[in-house]
């Protein structure tokens, strides 16, 4: 009997020790897991904030903002971006030299004006040249195109172009032996007082021009710094 009681007591004590040990282990394991989770796993609110606003977050938008001043092709502002030009003081007769060119293949129906900025500062060739032929025989001819959005601003040594349609086939013309042009500012007010005398191309003693009272010629393009664009408008008429 004594041996039996001894074994029962030993068993009872062993079971109690096991229960106590398990309870202690459970508390330590639970506390450790909770601390690890708190330190390693962000809360749902922090995760959402990082996804929507934090730079480099995996949930951030993949779109890249454009650099300041650039225009995305195809956007509504694309044309506006291309049409802007640098405004500067208006060019006057003392700022530029002008030479002319005819195109013999079309019987000198067209005349190209090339204005070179000979000053030491940038200026703008606003609108189109005020052209007069002869001694007032043909004055203030109108533009042959709609007003472009881009300004013809030329730096020192830079060039601007304007093209003229002098006459159309089948209309009566007047032979003129001299030509002058004037310049305007952005408000179409004369820039400078003097008219610039422009010589005809070498070997050209006179030009035939239409009668603006009878037809729409002669006409002139707006100033442009793009020669190809100027000739395109000019020869389209």
């Amino acid at each position: 009997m004594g041996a039996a009681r001894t074994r029962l007591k030993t068993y009872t004590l062993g079971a109690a020790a096991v229960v106590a040990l398990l309870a202690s282990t459970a508390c330590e394991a639970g506390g450790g897991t909770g601390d690890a989770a708190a330190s390693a796993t962000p809360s749902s609110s922090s995760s959402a904030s990082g996804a929507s606003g934090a730079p480099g977050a995996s949930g951030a938008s993949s779109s890249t903002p454009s650099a300041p001043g650039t225009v995305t092709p195809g956007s509504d502002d694309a044309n506006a971006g291309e049409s802007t030009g640098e405004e500067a003081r208006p060019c006057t007769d003392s700022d530029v030299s002008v030479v002319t060119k005819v195109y013999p293949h079309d019987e000198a129906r067209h005349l190209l004006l090339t204005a070179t900025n000979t000053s030491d500062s940038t200026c703008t060739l606003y609108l189109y040249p005020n052209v007069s032929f002869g001694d007032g025989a043909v004055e203030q001819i109108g533009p042959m195109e709609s007003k472009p959005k881009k300004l013809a601003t030329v730096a020192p040594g830079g060039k601007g172009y304007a093209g003229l349609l002098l006459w159309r086939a089948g209309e009566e013309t007047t032979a003129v032996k001299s030509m002058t042009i004037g310049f305007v500012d952005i408000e179409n007010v004369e820039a400078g007082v003097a008219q610039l005398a422009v010589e005809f191309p070498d070997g050209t003693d006179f030009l035939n021009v239409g009668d603006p009272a009878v037809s729409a010629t002669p006409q002139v393009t707006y100033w442009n710094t793009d020669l190809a664009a100027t000739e395109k408008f000019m020869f389209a008429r």
Side-chain angles (χ1 to χ4, degrees):
M1 289 295 292
R5 284 197 298 271
T6 300
R7 285 196 298 271
L8 178 61
K9 184 178 180 180
T10 302
Y11 174 78
T12 303
L13 291 173
V18 171
V19 171
L21 178 62
L22 289 175
S24 174
T25 303
C27 291
E28 292 176 359
T33 303
D35 293 343
S39 62
T41 306
S43 66
S44 60
S45 61
S46 298
S47 177
S49 175
S52 62
S58 61
S61 172
S62 61
S63 62
T64 303
S66 300
T70 60
V71 178
T72 303
S75 70
D76 291 339
D77 293 332
N79 288 334
E82 294 173 355
S83 68
T84 57
E86 177 191 359
E87 290 190 22
R89 64 179 183 83
C91 297
T92 68
D93 58 288
S94 62
D95 295 315
V96 299
S97 64
V98 178
V99 296
T100 58
K101 174 185 176 181
V102 291
Y103 299 83
H105 66 275
D106 73 342
E107 299 179 338
R109 292 176 57 238
H110 297 91
L111 181 73
L112 177 70
L113 304 178
T114 301
T116 302
N117 183 355
T118 58
S119 73
D120 58 2
S121 62
T122 298
C123 65
T124 295
L125 294 162
Y126 286 105
L127 303 180
Y128 52 89
N130 284 339
V131 179
S132 297
F133 290 104
D135 296 326
V138 179
E139 294 183 341
Q140 301 298 312
I141 68 177
M144 69 173 68
E145 56 170 317
S146 60
K147 181 179 178 180
K149 296 178 181 179
K150 189 172 183 178
L151 296 176
T153 299
V154 287
K159 299 181 184 298
Y161 307 93
L164 288 87
L165 170 63
L166 300 176
W167 54 275
R168 297 180 188 274
E171 70 176 336
E172 293 185 2
T173 61
T174 300
V176 296
K177 295 185 178 182
S178 64
M179 172 183 177
T180 61
I181 65 172
F183 303 90
V184 299
D185 63 17
I186 196 170
E187 301 294 337
N188 201 16
V189 176
E190 286 186 339
V193 178
Q195 295 279 311
L196 182 65
V198 178
E199 295 184 0
F200 294 154
D202 291 342
T204 303
D205 296 326
F206 66 91
L207 293 174
N208 289 316
V209 298
D211 184 352
V214 177
S215 66
T217 58
Q219 294 177 323
V220 64
T221 70
Y222 282 79
W223 289 111
N224 199 320
T225 56
D226 187 332
L227 174 58
T230 302
E231 291 182 327
K232 175 184 176 181
F233 283 121
M234 180 172 58
F235 285 112
R237 303 296 189 274

